[in-house]
Amino acid sequence: GDSVTQTEGLVTVTEGLPVKLNCTYQTTYLTIAFFWYVQYLNEAPQVLLRSSTDNKRTEHQGFHATLHKSSSSFHLQKSSAQLSDSALYYCALQLSGSFNKLTFGAGTRLAVCP
Amino acid sequence: DAAVTQKPRYLIKMKGQEAEMKCIPEKGHTAVFWYQQKQSKELKFLIYFQNQQPLDQIDMVKERFSAVCPSSSLCSLGIRTCEAEDSALYLCSSSGTNSAETLYFGSGTRLTVL
């Protein structure tokens, strides 16, 4: 079946240092789009990044991700983590014919420490 | 603020009781999704509506839940007989009809089953 894998349950980084959250996927179907959602404490998940183009870098709020279909990956990165980035991050894929239904990864909690 | 509204914010039920939670999708959205989130981790897909019709749902929903979207402005998710394992945050999300559209989430209903 279709799946999204986020290998780290928790990533801890010091403020100002780079951070990378891993996301790989597996599917036999035609994919339409990939997303990163962020969920701050006691808030709703909200879209952070979206991409449907292979090998094209997408950026928003200092974060960036590049879809690599050759390696089935859509890793999230930021060059300088901020305390306010501490949150739960979800990678998700959207399949062709799925009516915009998202398949989410298990989530990675990012903790940025001073 | 989330354009998707969910009520109530918190719900406490005893084991065996019935529970009901409401969702008002973003105006103009015709696709409605319910997800279950336990302990701030994986977002588990439950059911999907398109133009008030359920088009996809997991077996657990078929067996123990009741979900309807009688109008484009109000949907509900119910649990006929609550079990302890149903304790979770239930998130409603909506999107437009075009493919690859972003899902917008409500803040959720946190259900606690005692």
Side-chain angles (χ1 to χ4, degrees):
Chain A
D2 313 309
S3 64
V4 176
T5 301
Q6 294 181 247
T7 52
E8 309 97 353
L10 172 66
V11 170
T12 303
V13 66
T14 301
E15 184 182 17
L17 293 183
V19 61
K20 180 180 179 181
L21 306 184
N22 292 313
C23 172
T24 57
Y25 65 91
Q26 187 171 20
T27 180
T28 56
Y29 295 96
L30 178 66
T31 57
I32 290 182
F34 292 82
F35 297 80
W36 276 99
Y37 276 79
V38 58
Q39 186 178 25
Y40 299 102
L41 188 63
N42 295 325
E43 293 187 14
Q46 55 186 284
V47 63
L48 178 61
L49 289 175
R50 176 187 180 280
S51 178
S52 57
T53 306
D54 198 12
N55 297 315
K56 181 180 178 181
R57 176 172 164 139
T58 301
E59 299 188 34
H60 185 60
Q61 295 181 350
F63 286 92
H64 64 91
T66 303
L67 175 60
H68 290 297
K69 292 188 177 182
S70 60
S71 59
S72 300
S73 67
F74 189 53
H75 305 316
L76 181 69
Q77 300 183 68
K78 190 172 186 181
S79 59
S80 176
Q82 305 302 308
L83 294 175
S84 58
D85 295 329
S86 296
L88 191 53
Y89 291 80
Y90 290 98
C91 182
L93 69 82
Q94 194 176 73
L95 299 175
S96 171
S98 69
F99 304 100
N100 297 334
K101 170 187 169 183
L102 291 177
T103 298
F104 286 92
T108 298
R109 184 168 298 282
L110 174 63
V112 182
C113 304
Chain B
D1 290 340
V4 177
T5 304
Q6 290 189 248
K7 294 180 180 179
R9 189 68 187 265
Y10 300 95
L11 192 56
I12 299 175
K13 293 291 179 181
M14 301 299 293
K15 184 179 176 181
Q17 286 186 317
E18 182 179 5
E20 186 178 39
M21 50 204 94
K22 306 277 189 189
C23 171
I24 301 174
E26 185 168 338
K27 189 174 181 180
H29 284 182
T30 58
V32 176
F33 304 80
W34 286 94
Y35 285 85
Q36 181 193 62
Q37 184 182 39
K38 290 186 177 182
Q39 297 179 332
S40 298
K41 290 302 289 183
E42 184 174 359
L43 288 163
K44 180 180 179 180
F45 168 78
L46 296 178
I47 189 169
Y48 154 67
F49 288 85
Q50 179 68 40
N51 291 321
Q52 295 93 54
Q53 297 302 312
L55 296 186
D56 190 15
Q57 58 188 300
I58 64 172
D59 288 342
M60 179 181 75
V61 171
K62 294 176 186 176
E63 294 165 4
R64 299 197 303 110
F65 288 60
S66 59
V68 293
C69 271
S71 73
S72 60
S73 58
L74 182 63
C75 298
S76 68
L77 178 69
I79 305 174
R80 298 189 192 93
T81 307
C82 288
E83 299 178 0
E85 66 185 37
D86 297 327
S87 294
L89 181 67
Y90 290 84
L91 291 162
C92 177
S93 61
S94 69
S95 76
T97 54
N98 296 323
S99 63
E101 285 204 31
T102 299
L103 258 60
Y104 294 92
F105 283 86
S107 298
T109 292
R110 185 167 295 282
L111 172 66
T112 301
V113 181
L114 302 175

